[in-house]
Amino acid sequence: VKGKGESVTTTFPQDIGLAQMWDPQQLEKVAALEAGECRYLTQNPRYASAGLIVLAPNADLGRDVRWGRTEECYGEDPYLAATLVVAFVKGLQGDDPEYWKTASLMKHFLANSNENNRATNSSNFDDRLFREYYSYPFYKGVADGGSRAYMTAYNIYNGIPCIVHPVLKGVTVNEWGQNGIIATDGGAYRQLVTQHGYYPDLKAAAKGCLDAGITMFLDDYKKPLTEAVKEGLISENEIDRAVMSNLRVMLKLGLLDHPVDNPYSRIGVADTVAPWLKAETRELVRETTVRSIVLLKNENQALPLQKDKLKTIAVIGPSANLVVSDWYSGTPPYRVSALQGIKNAVGDDVQVLFAASNKADSAVIAAGKADAAIVCVGNHPLGYGLGWGVNHVASDGREEVDRQALSLEQEDLAKLVFAANPNTILVIVSSFPYTINWSKDNIPAILHISQSSQELGNALADVIFGKSSPAGRLVQTWPSSIDQLLPILEYDIRKGRTYQYSKSEPLFPFGYGLSYTTFSYSDLRIEKKSASDNETVNVTFRLKNQGYYDSDEVVQLYVSFPESKVERPVIALKG
């Protein structure tokens, strides 16, 4: 938000990192804070915000780790993603029975998980995958979360552009009860003519959009729509119906009522301290970022490091002194890099050496002088400032460009550092998985943290030095080789995609993550309450922390389908 005041907002980890918490309650707190800041920026006269309709969450599923917008999603599993979508929607909209704090506009409906040729390719799959996989997070966002707004995708679904697909009305409106905003993506209306060739002109495209259920254009639409009305292609009643749907959202936001009736109307007006400046906000970001970190390997308890046993630490790598705001991120009030967070944690008692690369052997020299070396490598969310749709390296990805490789070029730096210092910790600072097979076989300890959190360094240091035990879990399968993946345009996941159907041995599986302590599960009991087809089954067990560190544990419940007459997942997350 760039307005009359400072251009800042609180910045949390990317969505893929938030998902790695596996914690809908914490995610709801994050969304509630973001909604409060949106209200503050909209209603405080010092600022000029875009408004109260928030284009979040992204309810698309990360079915392929090459997808350039992987960082925007909640992973590959429909149950987990749906649970987190519902939490984020509730956090954005608040708990008042009459009014919303902000409106949650989910995106991108439907099956938009490849970037290259996204305006022309068709995502093809059957109705069961539509119901059980691709649309499921959107459905729960409407039915359980209460969202009444979503954005259609650029791509085609089963031969029809999503922006004019019959499922908009046929399913989301008539079955789910969606009665608010259905928006186009930016420029998608004109693409119906210029890219898809689905209509002869923009007037016919405008009618097609209204007929399908579109109520809001993120596009230059006024002239052709006006001409279509004058020529009788579109009636004013049709426009009224679309406007009425939008007005329902405005009513829920309190934009058409006297502000005294709206409990959120004083945000930014009565407040004296901006929310991004509050200590409790910084604490929420730090705690959230800690919970998002996944411990991928910890051989012989290499972590946590004991500060009192260290004299010198080497912090190395291109991601070590960098916190990059994401493609759609705001500008944070401050940034704490890994280097700064480690310095904050050790104070003056431990010398901290830094090398961004191995130019003139600088990384190797620093590692050789240190008791432990921390190597921070990964992607760059902005592509190092390159233009639209361009990769810096083949393994980079973001909007409009998919990844062409999964190997991490910077892993070579870890190899050199490890040769100089066997006490090496690898930190993958990234928006998506990598095939780091060599590191898994050789580096003693590996952590994953996603990009962009303003507290990235402090949270990382909290885990490295044992202030917090890591409890994050992966929300995507990390493959061991790119040839384990189906072609990126293959949307039938039953052919071997995601943990549900893949027969390949992954590098790190879905749901994986280590801890500094050990947990035991015992006394498993299953109780059926009825004998009906829709019976409730209660599963109880005893969970015990048997180690020396306080820690969260993410309990995961999976089911299988041994007697199914149709092809079902080998296992599927259900709790």
mmCIF file of all heavy atoms in Angstrom, residues 398-434:
data_model
loop_
_atom_site.group_PDB
_atom_site.id
_atom_site.type_symbol
_atom_site.label_atom_id
_atom_site.label_comp_id
_atom_site.label_asym_id
_atom_site.label_seq_id
_atom_site.Cartn_x
_atom_site.Cartn_y
_atom_site.Cartn_z
ATOM 1 N N ARG A 398 8.204 -18.097 -10.354
ATOM 2 C CA ARG A 398 7.265 -17.159 -9.733
ATOM 3 C C ARG A 398 6.111 -16.985 -10.715
ATOM 4 O O ARG A 398 5.993 -17.752 -11.666
ATOM 5 C CB ARG A 398 7.938 -15.833 -9.394
ATOM 6 C CG ARG A 398 8.470 -15.053 -10.570
ATOM 7 C CD ARG A 398 9.294 -13.863 -10.078
ATOM 8 N NE ARG A 398 9.572 -12.900 -11.116
ATOM 9 C CZ ARG A 398 10.476 -13.031 -12.050
ATOM 10 N NH1 ARG A 398 11.204 -14.133 -12.108
ATOM 11 N NH2 ARG A 398 10.671 -12.088 -12.947
ATOM 12 N N GLU A 399 5.263 -15.983 -10.521
ATOM 13 C CA GLU A 399 4.147 -15.826 -11.448
ATOM 14 C C GLU A 399 4.652 -15.673 -12.880
ATOM 15 O O GLU A 399 5.614 -14.960 -13.138
ATOM 16 C CB GLU A 399 3.280 -14.620 -11.074
ATOM 17 C CG GLU A 399 2.063 -14.515 -11.974
ATOM 18 C CD GLU A 399 1.054 -13.476 -11.536
ATOM 19 O OE1 GLU A 399 1.298 -12.778 -10.530
ATOM 20 O OE2 GLU A 399 0.024 -13.362 -12.213
ATOM 21 N N GLU A 400 3.978 -16.374 -13.793
ATOM 22 C CA GLU A 400 4.221 -16.338 -15.233
ATOM 23 C C GLU A 400 5.435 -17.163 -15.660
ATOM 24 O O GLU A 400 5.738 -17.249 -16.844
ATOM 25 C CB GLU A 400 4.364 -14.865 -15.706
ATOM 26 C CG GLU A 400 4.449 -14.641 -17.209
ATOM 27 C CD GLU A 400 3.181 -15.041 -17.971
ATOM 28 O OE1 GLU A 400 2.140 -15.287 -17.348
ATOM 29 O OE2 GLU A 400 3.252 -15.106 -19.205
ATOM 30 N N VAL A 401 6.102 -17.837 -14.723
ATOM 31 C CA VAL A 401 7.224 -18.678 -15.140
ATOM 32 C C VAL A 401 7.339 -19.881 -14.200
ATOM 33 O O VAL A 401 7.474 -19.725 -12.985
ATOM 34 C CB VAL A 401 8.552 -17.882 -15.196
ATOM 35 C CG1 VAL A 401 8.870 -17.194 -13.886
ATOM 36 C CG2 VAL A 401 9.701 -18.774 -15.633
ATOM 37 N N ASP A 402 7.240 -21.071 -14.756
ATOM 38 C CA ASP A 402 7.411 -22.306 -13.989
ATOM 39 C C ASP A 402 8.886 -22.676 -13.922
ATOM 40 O O ASP A 402 9.703 -22.236 -14.737
ATOM 41 C CB ASP A 402 6.630 -23.453 -14.654
ATOM 42 C CG ASP A 402 5.133 -23.275 -14.547
ATOM 43 O OD1 ASP A 402 4.649 -22.965 -13.448
ATOM 44 O OD2 ASP A 402 4.448 -23.426 -15.585
ATOM 45 N N ARG A 403 9.205 -23.510 -12.958
ATOM 46 C CA ARG A 403 10.575 -23.985 -12.801
ATOM 47 C C ARG A 403 10.878 -25.069 -13.848
ATOM 48 O O ARG A 403 10.052 -25.926 -14.108
ATOM 49 C CB ARG A 403 10.767 -24.554 -11.399
ATOM 50 C CG ARG A 403 10.382 -23.588 -10.299
ATOM 51 C CD ARG A 403 10.273 -24.293 -8.961
ATOM 52 N NE ARG A 403 11.587 -24.671 -8.469
ATOM 53 C CZ ARG A 403 11.792 -25.622 -7.565
ATOM 54 N NH1 ARG A 403 10.769 -26.308 -7.079
ATOM 55 N NH2 ARG A 403 13.011 -25.894 -7.140
ATOM 56 N N GLN A 404 12.066 -25.022 -14.389
ATOM 57 C CA GLN A 404 12.484 -26.022 -15.358
ATOM 58 C C GLN A 404 13.457 -27.026 -14.751
ATOM 59 O O GLN A 404 13.885 -27.965 -15.427
ATOM 60 C CB GLN A 404 13.143 -25.327 -16.548
ATOM 61 C CG GLN A 404 12.235 -24.324 -17.252
ATOM 62 C CD GLN A 404 10.964 -24.952 -17.783
ATOM 63 O OE1 GLN A 404 11.020 -25.935 -18.522
ATOM 64 N NE2 GLN A 404 9.824 -24.407 -17.400
ATOM 65 N N ALA A 405 13.835 -26.820 -13.495
ATOM 66 C CA ALA A 405 14.766 -27.721 -12.811
ATOM 67 C C ALA A 405 14.451 -27.720 -11.326
ATOM 68 O O ALA A 405 13.860 -26.774 -10.799
ATOM 69 C CB ALA A 405 16.215 -27.282 -13.039
ATOM 70 N N LEU A 406 14.831 -28.790 -10.636
ATOM 71 C CA LEU A 406 14.651 -28.895 -9.183
ATOM 72 C C LEU A 406 15.982 -28.926 -8.445
ATOM 73 O O LEU A 406 16.006 -28.885 -7.218
ATOM 74 C CB LEU A 406 13.849 -30.155 -8.830
ATOM 75 C CG LEU A 406 12.463 -30.309 -9.455
ATOM 76 C CD1 LEU A 406 11.793 -31.567 -8.907
ATOM 77 C CD2 LEU A 406 11.601 -29.085 -9.206
ATOM 78 N N SER A 407 17.062 -29.024 -9.175
ATOM 79 C CA SER A 407 18.380 -29.058 -8.537
ATOM 80 C C SER A 407 18.751 -27.653 -8.057
ATOM 81 O O SER A 407 18.373 -26.656 -8.668
ATOM 82 C CB SER A 407 19.436 -29.583 -9.505
ATOM 83 O OG SER A 407 19.431 -28.820 -10.697
ATOM 84 N N LEU A 408 19.509 -27.593 -6.970
ATOM 85 C CA LEU A 408 19.901 -26.328 -6.359
ATOM 86 C C LEU A 408 21.346 -26.023 -6.737
ATOM 87 O O LEU A 408 22.281 -26.643 -6.227
ATOM 88 C CB LEU A 408 19.735 -26.400 -4.839
ATOM 89 C CG LEU A 408 20.145 -25.175 -4.031
ATOM 90 C CD1 LEU A 408 19.327 -23.949 -4.442
ATOM 91 C CD2 LEU A 408 19.971 -25.456 -2.537
ATOM 92 N N GLU A 409 21.513 -25.074 -7.636
ATOM 93 C CA GLU A 409 22.856 -24.722 -8.096
ATOM 94 C C GLU A 409 23.772 -24.350 -6.926
ATOM 95 O O GLU A 409 24.962 -24.686 -6.904
ATOM 96 C CB GLU A 409 22.757 -23.550 -9.076
ATOM 97 C CG GLU A 409 24.078 -23.119 -9.672
ATOM 98 C CD GLU A 409 23.923 -21.888 -10.532
ATOM 99 O OE1 GLU A 409 23.462 -20.865 -9.989
ATOM 100 O OE2 GLU A 409 24.249 -21.945 -11.731
ATOM 101 N N GLN A 410 23.212 -23.682 -5.919
ATOM 102 C CA GLN A 410 24.011 -23.215 -4.785
ATOM 103 C C GLN A 410 24.430 -24.339 -3.843
ATOM 104 O O GLN A 410 25.188 -24.105 -2.889
ATOM 105 C CB GLN A 410 23.227 -22.144 -4.014
ATOM 106 C CG GLN A 410 22.918 -20.908 -4.831
ATOM 107 C CD GLN A 410 21.862 -20.038 -4.182
ATOM 108 O OE1 GLN A 410 21.448 -20.279 -3.045
ATOM 109 N NE2 GLN A 410 21.397 -19.019 -4.894
ATOM 110 N N GLU A 411 23.952 -25.569 -4.085
ATOM 111 C CA GLU A 411 24.386 -26.688 -3.265
ATOM 112 C C GLU A 411 25.896 -26.896 -3.369
ATOM 113 O O GLU A 411 26.526 -27.425 -2.437
ATOM 114 C CB GLU A 411 23.646 -27.962 -3.655
ATOM 115 C CG GLU A 411 23.788 -29.100 -2.660
ATOM 116 C CD GLU A 411 22.957 -30.310 -3.031
ATOM 117 O OE1 GLU A 411 22.624 -30.473 -4.228
ATOM 118 O OE2 GLU A 411 22.643 -31.122 -2.132
ATOM 119 N N ASP A 412 26.499 -26.477 -4.470
ATOM 120 C CA ASP A 412 27.957 -26.575 -4.603
ATOM 121 C C ASP A 412 28.673 -25.791 -3.512
ATOM 122 O O ASP A 412 29.749 -26.193 -3.050
ATOM 123 C CB ASP A 412 28.404 -26.067 -5.977
ATOM 124 C CG ASP A 412 28.183 -27.104 -7.070
ATOM 125 O OD1 ASP A 412 27.858 -28.261 -6.729
ATOM 126 O OD2 ASP A 412 28.333 -26.758 -8.247
ATOM 127 N N LEU A 413 28.093 -24.676 -3.095
ATOM 128 C CA LEU A 413 28.692 -23.902 -2.013
ATOM 129 C C LEU A 413 28.697 -24.702 -0.716
ATOM 130 O O LEU A 413 29.681 -24.700 0.039
ATOM 131 C CB LEU A 413 27.925 -22.584 -1.824
ATOM 132 C CG LEU A 413 28.397 -21.666 -0.695
ATOM 133 C CD1 LEU A 413 29.842 -21.220 -0.906
ATOM 134 C CD2 LEU A 413 27.473 -20.455 -0.573
ATOM 135 N N ALA A 414 27.603 -25.429 -0.460
ATOM 136 C CA ALA A 414 27.531 -26.269 0.739
ATOM 137 C C ALA A 414 28.595 -27.363 0.701
ATOM 138 O O ALA A 414 29.185 -27.703 1.737
ATOM 139 C CB ALA A 414 26.140 -26.875 0.875
ATOM 140 N N LYS A 415 28.850 -27.919 -0.485
ATOM 141 C CA LYS A 415 29.878 -28.955 -0.610
ATOM 142 C C LYS A 415 31.254 -28.410 -0.225
ATOM 143 O O LYS A 415 32.032 -29.069 0.496
ATOM 144 C CB LYS A 415 29.914 -29.487 -2.040
ATOM 145 C CG LYS A 415 28.662 -30.244 -2.455
ATOM 146 C CD LYS A 415 28.744 -30.684 -3.913
ATOM 147 C CE LYS A 415 27.473 -31.404 -4.347
ATOM 148 N NZ LYS A 415 27.531 -31.819 -5.769
ATOM 149 N N LEU A 416 31.574 -27.214 -0.681
ATOM 150 C CA LEU A 416 32.879 -26.618 -0.374
ATOM 151 C C LEU A 416 33.001 -26.287 1.108
ATOM 152 O O LEU A 416 34.046 -26.523 1.724
ATOM 153 C CB LEU A 416 33.081 -25.361 -1.217
ATOM 154 C CG LEU A 416 33.170 -25.575 -2.728
ATOM 155 C CD1 LEU A 416 33.181 -24.240 -3.463
ATOM 156 C CD2 LEU A 416 34.410 -26.388 -3.077
ATOM 157 N N VAL A 417 31.940 -25.752 1.683
ATOM 158 C CA VAL A 417 31.966 -25.399 3.115
ATOM 159 C C VAL A 417 32.079 -26.654 3.967
ATOM 160 O O VAL A 417 32.849 -26.695 4.942
ATOM 161 C CB VAL A 417 30.714 -24.579 3.482
ATOM 162 C CG1 VAL A 417 30.626 -24.390 5.002
ATOM 163 C CG2 VAL A 417 30.729 -23.232 2.780
ATOM 164 N N PHE A 418 31.320 -27.689 3.611
ATOM 165 C CA PHE A 418 31.362 -28.934 4.375
ATOM 166 C C PHE A 418 32.762 -29.552 4.336
ATOM 167 O O PHE A 418 33.235 -30.110 5.331
ATOM 168 C CB PHE A 418 30.331 -29.916 3.826
ATOM 169 C CG PHE A 418 30.331 -31.254 4.497
ATOM 170 C CD1 PHE A 418 29.874 -31.405 5.793
ATOM 171 C CD2 PHE A 418 30.802 -32.381 3.834
ATOM 172 C CE1 PHE A 418 29.876 -32.645 6.421
ATOM 173 C CE2 PHE A 418 30.806 -33.622 4.448
ATOM 174 C CZ PHE A 418 30.349 -33.755 5.753
ATOM 175 N N ALA A 419 33.444 -29.453 3.192
ATOM 176 C CA ALA A 419 34.805 -29.982 3.096
ATOM 177 C C ALA A 419 35.750 -29.226 4.026
ATOM 178 O O ALA A 419 36.715 -29.804 4.559
ATOM 179 C CB ALA A 419 35.299 -29.889 1.654
ATOM 180 N N ALA A 420 35.465 -27.941 4.234
ATOM 181 C CA ALA A 420 36.313 -27.131 5.116
ATOM 182 C C ALA A 420 35.919 -27.264 6.575
ATOM 183 O O ALA A 420 36.746 -27.034 7.468
ATOM 184 C CB ALA A 420 36.245 -25.663 4.693
ATOM 185 N N ASN A 421 34.644 -27.617 6.834
ATOM 186 C CA ASN A 421 34.169 -27.691 8.223
ATOM 187 C C ASN A 421 33.036 -28.722 8.290
ATOM 188 O O ASN A 421 31.928 -28.465 7.807
ATOM 189 C CB ASN A 421 33.664 -26.328 8.698
ATOM 190 C CG ASN A 421 33.360 -26.313 10.192
ATOM 191 O OD1 ASN A 421 33.003 -27.325 10.779
ATOM 192 N ND2 ASN A 421 33.501 -25.152 10.806
ATOM 193 N N PRO A 422 33.287 -29.891 8.871
ATOM 194 C CA PRO A 422 32.241 -30.931 8.937
ATOM 195 C C PRO A 422 31.060 -30.537 9.826
ATOM 196 O O PRO A 422 29.992 -31.154 9.727
ATOM 197 C CB PRO A 422 32.978 -32.147 9.503
ATOM 198 C CG PRO A 422 34.159 -31.581 10.220
ATOM 199 C CD PRO A 422 34.559 -30.353 9.478
ATOM 200 N N ASN A 423 31.222 -29.530 10.673
ATOM 201 C CA ASN A 423 30.117 -29.056 11.514
ATOM 202 C C ASN A 423 29.323 -27.999 10.735
ATOM 203 O O ASN A 423 29.280 -26.824 11.100
ATOM 204 C CB ASN A 423 30.645 -28.478 12.818
ATOM 205 C CG ASN A 423 31.374 -29.511 13.656
ATOM 206 O OD1 ASN A 423 30.930 -30.657 13.753
ATOM 207 N ND2 ASN A 423 32.494 -29.122 14.241
ATOM 208 N N THR A 424 28.718 -28.445 9.654
ATOM 209 C CA THR A 424 27.993 -27.537 8.761
ATOM 210 C C THR A 424 26.494 -27.758 8.885
ATOM 211 O O THR A 424 26.015 -28.888 8.906
ATOM 212 C CB THR A 424 28.433 -27.757 7.300
ATOM 213 O OG1 THR A 424 29.800 -27.355 7.162
ATOM 214 C CG2 THR A 424 27.585 -26.940 6.339
ATOM 215 N N ILE A 425 25.769 -26.655 8.953
ATOM 216 C CA ILE A 425 24.303 -26.665 8.970
ATOM 217 C C ILE A 425 23.836 -26.010 7.683
ATOM 218 O O ILE A 425 24.284 -24.911 7.334
ATOM 219 C CB ILE A 425 23.757 -25.894 10.189
ATOM 220 C CG1 ILE A 425 24.201 -26.575 11.485
ATOM 221 C CG2 ILE A 425 22.238 -25.779 10.127
ATOM 222 C CD1 ILE A 425 24.192 -25.641 12.671
ATOM 223 N N LEU A 426 22.943 -26.678 6.969
ATOM 224 C CA LEU A 426 22.404 -26.143 5.724
ATOM 225 C C LEU A 426 21.003 -25.595 5.977
ATOM 226 O O LEU A 426 20.149 -26.294 6.513
ATOM 227 C CB LEU A 426 22.356 -27.227 4.649
ATOM 228 C CG LEU A 426 21.824 -26.802 3.280
ATOM 229 C CD1 LEU A 426 22.692 -25.729 2.648
ATOM 230 C CD2 LEU A 426 21.697 -28.011 2.340
ATOM 231 N N VAL A 427 20.799 -24.337 5.607
ATOM 232 C CA VAL A 427 19.483 -23.706 5.721
ATOM 233 C C VAL A 427 18.979 -23.413 4.312
ATOM 234 O O VAL A 427 19.575 -22.616 3.581
ATOM 235 C CB VAL A 427 19.547 -22.401 6.537
ATOM 236 C CG1 VAL A 427 18.159 -21.773 6.634
ATOM 237 C CG2 VAL A 427 20.119 -22.661 7.927
ATOM 238 N N ILE A 428 17.884 -24.091 3.931
ATOM 239 C CA ILE A 428 17.257 -23.847 2.630
ATOM 240 C C ILE A 428 16.212 -22.753 2.830
ATOM 241 O O ILE A 428 15.197 -22.956 3.490
ATOM 242 C CB ILE A 428 16.587 -25.116 2.072
ATOM 243 C CG1 ILE A 428 17.570 -26.283 2.039
ATOM 244 C CG2 ILE A 428 16.005 -24.852 0.695
ATOM 245 C CD1 ILE A 428 18.729 -26.107 1.096
ATOM 246 N N VAL A 429 16.491 -21.563 2.307
ATOM 247 C CA VAL A 429 15.562 -20.434 2.378
ATOM 248 C C VAL A 429 14.866 -20.374 1.027
ATOM 249 O O VAL A 429 15.412 -19.854 0.054
ATOM 250 C CB VAL A 429 16.304 -19.114 2.667
ATOM 251 C CG1 VAL A 429 15.307 -17.975 2.886
ATOM 252 C CG2 VAL A 429 17.222 -19.255 3.881
ATOM 253 N N SER A 430 13.667 -20.934 0.946
ATOM 254 C CA SER A 430 13.100 -21.114 -0.394
ATOM 255 C C SER A 430 11.585 -21.160 -0.395
ATOM 256 O O SER A 430 10.938 -21.423 0.613
ATOM 257 C CB SER A 430 13.640 -22.402 -1.025
ATOM 258 O OG SER A 430 13.038 -23.537 -0.455
ATOM 259 N N SER A 431 11.055 -20.938 -1.598
ATOM 260 C CA SER A 431 9.612 -20.948 -1.838
ATOM 261 C C SER A 431 9.096 -22.313 -2.252
ATOM 262 O O SER A 431 7.891 -22.483 -2.415
ATOM 263 C CB SER A 431 9.271 -19.955 -2.962
ATOM 264 O OG SER A 431 9.827 -18.689 -2.723
ATOM 265 N N PHE A 432 10.010 -23.285 -2.429
ATOM 266 C CA PHE A 432 9.603 -24.583 -2.950
ATOM 267 C C PHE A 432 10.702 -25.623 -2.710
ATOM 268 O O PHE A 432 11.826 -25.280 -2.327
ATOM 269 C CB PHE A 432 9.284 -24.509 -4.446
ATOM 270 C CG PHE A 432 9.988 -23.416 -5.191
ATOM 271 C CD1 PHE A 432 11.370 -23.406 -5.300
ATOM 272 C CD2 PHE A 432 9.269 -22.385 -5.757
ATOM 273 C CE1 PHE A 432 12.029 -22.391 -5.979
ATOM 274 C CE2 PHE A 432 9.930 -21.367 -6.443
ATOM 275 C CZ PHE A 432 11.291 -21.368 -6.557
ATOM 276 N N PRO A 433 10.413 -26.895 -2.950
ATOM 277 C CA PRO A 433 11.375 -27.968 -2.697
ATOM 278 C C PRO A 433 12.515 -27.992 -3.717
ATOM 279 O O PRO A 433 12.391 -27.503 -4.842
ATOM 280 C CB PRO A 433 10.531 -29.248 -2.808
ATOM 281 C CG PRO A 433 9.122 -28.812 -2.616
ATOM 282 C CD PRO A 433 9.064 -27.443 -3.220
ATOM 283 N N TYR A 434 13.617 -28.605 -3.280
ATOM 284 C CA TYR A 434 14.764 -28.861 -4.150
ATOM 285 C C TYR A 434 15.187 -30.323 -4.000
ATOM 286 O O TYR A 434 14.973 -30.949 -2.952
ATOM 287 C CB TYR A 434 15.952 -27.982 -3.767
ATOM 288 C CG TYR A 434 15.834 -26.542 -4.172
ATOM 289 C CD1 TYR A 434 15.459 -25.570 -3.241
ATOM 290 C CD2 TYR A 434 16.099 -26.142 -5.470
ATOM 291 C CE1 TYR A 434 15.365 -24.234 -3.609
ATOM 292 C CE2 TYR A 434 16.009 -24.801 -5.845
ATOM 293 C CZ TYR A 434 15.643 -23.855 -4.906
ATOM 294 O OH TYR A 434 15.542 -22.535 -5.280
#
